[in-house]
C-alpha cells in the first residue's frame, strides 16, 4: 500500500506542482495571483476540449497553457496597468474562470477523449519501490521532474532570474538600471498562468481523464499555499505537492483494501495536511518572502 500511496502522490501532485511552480515565478517577481485556481480550470477545459476535437493530448496541453496564460494576463493587466488590489483581483479572476468553464464546459461532460497514457521507462520502471513510484507515469509527470530544477536554475543561476527576483525585492533599483519592473512582473504572472494551465491540462487529460465542473477542487489555492510552504523555492515545492498528492491517494488505497474510514474525513485529509504544514512552517517560511511582496497587504496600489 505504501508504494501505491507514494506513486499516487507523484501522479496526483503533478497538477499542483505545475501550478505551484507558476505561482513561485509570479511571487518572486512581487505579484500574488489568487486566480491560479481559475487558470487551472480554464487550462483543464481548454486541454480537454482540444483533445476531444483533435485526438491529440499534446495539442490539448498547448491549448491549456494558452488558456491559463490568457486568464493570468487579465490579472496582470488589472493589477499592474490599472493599480487594482492584487488579492481582490485574483479572486475576481478566479470567479471569471469558474464561470466561463461552467458555461462552456457543459458540452464536454461525459465526452470521451484519447488521454495521456502511463509510459513505464524501460529499465527504471523495474527497480523495486523506486520504479513504480517515479518511473511508471505519463509524459507530463516526467516533464515536471525537469521543470522544477530548470526553474531553480533560471531563478538563481541566470541573469534573467536575477532581474526577475529584483522586481520582487527592489523594483526601484531595477528601474535605475533601465529595466521596467512592470514588464518583468507582467511576463512572470503570464508565465505563472501558463504553468498553471498545464497543471489543469494534466488534471483533465492525464489524471482524471474527464471534465466536470470545478474539477480542480481548490488545488489552485493549495498551490498558492505551497509557495509559502516551500519558502518561494522551486525544488521545495516538489515535496509539498507530492505530500498533498499522497494525502489524496490515501483514500482510494484504503478503500481498495477494505478499511472502513469515514469518507468525508478522508476527503478533508489533504487540506488538513496542508494547514498543519503551514501552521508548523508558515511563520519561519514567511520571513523568506520577496521584500516587495509585503506591499500586497497594504492599501496603496502595487506599482
Amino acid at each position: 500500500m505504501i508504494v501505491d500511496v507514494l506513486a499516487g502522490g507523484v501522479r496526483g501532485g503533478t497538477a499542483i506542482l505545475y501550478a505551484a511552480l507558476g505561482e513561485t515565478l509570479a511571487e518572486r517577481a512581487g505579484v500574488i495571483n489568487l486566480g491560479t485556481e481559475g487558470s487551472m480550470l480554464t487550462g483543464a477545459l481548454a486541454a480537454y476540449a482540444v483533445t476531444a476535437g483533435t485526438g491529440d493530448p499534446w495539442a490539448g496541453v498547448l491549448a491549456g497553457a494558452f488558456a491559463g496564460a490568457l486568464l493570468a494576463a487579465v490579472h496582470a493587466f488589472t493589477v499592474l496597468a490599472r493599480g487594482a488590489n492584487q488579492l481582490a483581483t485574483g479572486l475576481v479572476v478566479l470567479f471569471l474562470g469558474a464561470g466561463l468553464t461552467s458555461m462552456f464546459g457543459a458540452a464536454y461532460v461525459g465526452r470521451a477523449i484519447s488521454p495521456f497514457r502511463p509510459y513505464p521507462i524501460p529499465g527504471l520502471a523495474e527497480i523495486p519501490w523506486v520504479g513504480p513510484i517515479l518511473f511508471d507515469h505519463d509524459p507530463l509527470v516526467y516533464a515536471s521532474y525537469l521543470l522544477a530544477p530548470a526553474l531553480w536554475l533560471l531563478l538563481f543561476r541566470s541573469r534573467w532570474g536575477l532581474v526577475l527576483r529584483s522586481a520582487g525585492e527592489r523594483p526601484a533599483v531595477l528601474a535605475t538600471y533601465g529595466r521596467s519592473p512592470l514588464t518583468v512582473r507582467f511576463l512572470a504572472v503570464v508565465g505563472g498562468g501558463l504553468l498553471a494551465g498545464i497543471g489543469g491540462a494534466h488534471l483533465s487529460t492525464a489524471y482524471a481523464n474527464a471534465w466536470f465542473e470545478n474539477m480542480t477542487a481548490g488545488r489552485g489555492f493549495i498551490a498558492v499555499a505551497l509557495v509559502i510552504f516551500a519558502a518561494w523555492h522551486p525544488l521545495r515545492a516538489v515535496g509539498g505537492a507530492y505530500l498533498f498528492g499522497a494525502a489524496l491517494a490515501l483514500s482510494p488505497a484504503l478503500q481498495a483494501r477494505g478499511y472502513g474510514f469515514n469518507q468525508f474525513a478522508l476527503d478533508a485529509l489533504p487540506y488538513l495536511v496542508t494547514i498543519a504544514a503551514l501552521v508548523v512552517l508558515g511563520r519561519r517560511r514567511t520571513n523568506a518572502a520577496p521584500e516587495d511582496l509585503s506591499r500586497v497587504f497594504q492599501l496603496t496600489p502595487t506599482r
Side-chain angles (χ1 to χ4, degrees), residues 64-92:
F66 177 78
L70 187 62
L71 194 67
V74 174
H75 177 70
F77 174 80
T78 307
V79 167
L80 299 173
R82 306 308 303 168
N85 180 276
Q86 292 187 20
L87 302 179
T89 301
L91 291 175
V92 170

Side-chain angles (χ1 to χ4, degrees), residues 8-59:
V10 173
R11 185 168 57 252
T14 295
I16 301 168
L17 177 58
Y18 276 106
L21 292 176
E23 183 63 14
T24 300
L25 192 67
E27 293 194 20
R28 275 287 178 181
V31 179
I32 291 178
N33 184 8
L34 294 182
T36 297
E37 176 94 353
S39 288
M40 289 188 74
L41 275 172
T42 54
L45 176 58
Y48 198 83
V50 171
T51 301
T54 64
D56 183 1
W58 286 110

Side-chain angles (χ1 to χ4, degrees), residues 4-10 12-13 240-252 269-270:
D4 291 341
V5 171
L6 293 178
V10 173
Y242 291 166
L243 176 64
F244 185 88
L248 284 174
L250 182 61
S251 174
L269 181 62

Side-chain angles (χ1 to χ4, degrees), residues 126-185:
E126 283 75 37
I127 300 174
W129 284 74
V130 176
I133 293 172
L134 295 178
F135 302 115
D136 189 10
H137 297 289
D138 61 86
L140 288 180
V141 173
Y142 300 139
S144 71
Y145 294 166
L146 302 176
L147 179 62
L151 186 59
W152 176 82
L153 289 171
L154 177 69
L155 286 174
F156 299 106
R157 293 294 185 271
S158 74
R159 183 179 182 84
W160 194 88
L162 178 62
V163 170
L164 184 141
R165 287 185 290 118
S166 297
E169 296 284 355
R170 299 292 178 87
V173 174
L174 183 62
T176 63
Y177 282 90
R179 298 295 187 104
S180 169
L182 291 182
T183 300
V184 174
R185 288 177 170 181

Side-chain angles (χ1 to χ4, degrees), residues 177-203:
Y177 282 90
R179 298 295 187 104
S180 169
L182 291 182
T183 300
V184 174
R185 288 177 170 181
F186 187 91
L187 293 175
V189 173
V190 172
L194 183 148
L195 292 178
I198 295 176
H202 179 267
L203 193 62

